[in-house]
Amino acid sequence: MTQSSYDVVEVVAMQLIGSDASVIPVSAELSFRTSDPYTVRAVFTGPHTMSTWLVGRELLSLGMHATSEAPAGTGDVQVWRDEDPDYTLVSLSGVEGSALLAAPSEPIVRFLAGTEALVPIGTESDRMDPEITALIAALLTA
């Protein structure tokens, strides 16, 4: 997808932290559409691979106030601020394994502020109601 198809896009330089404490640079493109206000699309690109994840926007927002003792998220994605609040940690778990990523907090905060300026958290359903109604109507007339 191109950047123009999203309402808010932020590219974040992250570091993949290996189990042996090795560090691999990773780029994460965070994308948000007002037509899908619950979801953030995160495309992680490393030296030899690319992986796309759909992350709850509210989870990402809660993670900016969470700690390692009580991270946001209980499933495949967890987010929390590092002991140094200038950094945010993201844990991803999937069928192919697990990853721990570290990122500067500022671009994530900026990204979330951009999404909330368009669709404040807690008002997502207001944005979705017309689309759900249109979908139901289309299904009933198909």
Side-chain angles (χ1 to χ4, degrees):
M1 295 259 164
T2 63
Q3 180 172 337
S4 62
S5 67
Y6 289 91
D7 299 301
V8 181
V9 175
E10 186 78 36
V11 176
V12 182
M14 295 185 158
Q15 297 178 329
L16 175 64
I17 301 168
S19 58
D20 61 354
S22 61
V23 175
I24 299 170
V26 174
S27 173
E29 182 179 276
L30 305 177
S31 307
F32 172 81
R33 284 191 181 122
T34 57
S35 61
D36 187 10
Y38 291 104
T39 307
V40 170
R41 181 176 180 258
V43 178
F44 300 98
T45 305
H48 306 290
T49 187
M50 184 174 80
S51 180
T52 302
W53 287 70
L54 299 179
V55 178
R57 180 173 68 129
E58 185 175 20
L59 182 149
L60 188 58
S61 180
L62 290 171
M64 301 313 295
H65 306 284
T67 65
S68 61
E69 292 81 28
T74 58
D76 294 345
V77 179
Q78 293 186 321
V79 180
W80 66 95
R81 283 282 179 101
D82 188 41
E83 291 176 8
D84 176 351
D86 289 340
Y87 291 92
T88 298
L89 297 170
V90 179
S91 173
L92 304 172
S93 300
V95 294
E96 295 179 11
S98 298
L100 179 62
L101 297 143
S105 298
E106 191 272 329
I108 299 171
V109 169
R110 185 174 53 239
F111 171 77
L112 288 168
T115 70
E116 290 184 45
L118 296 174
V119 182
I121 288 183
T123 66
E124 296 91 347
S125 66
D126 297 342
R127 171 84 50 181
M128 297 299 293
D129 285 343
E131 292 191 26
I132 292 170
T133 301
L135 176 62
I136 292 170
L139 291 172
L140 291 175
T141 58

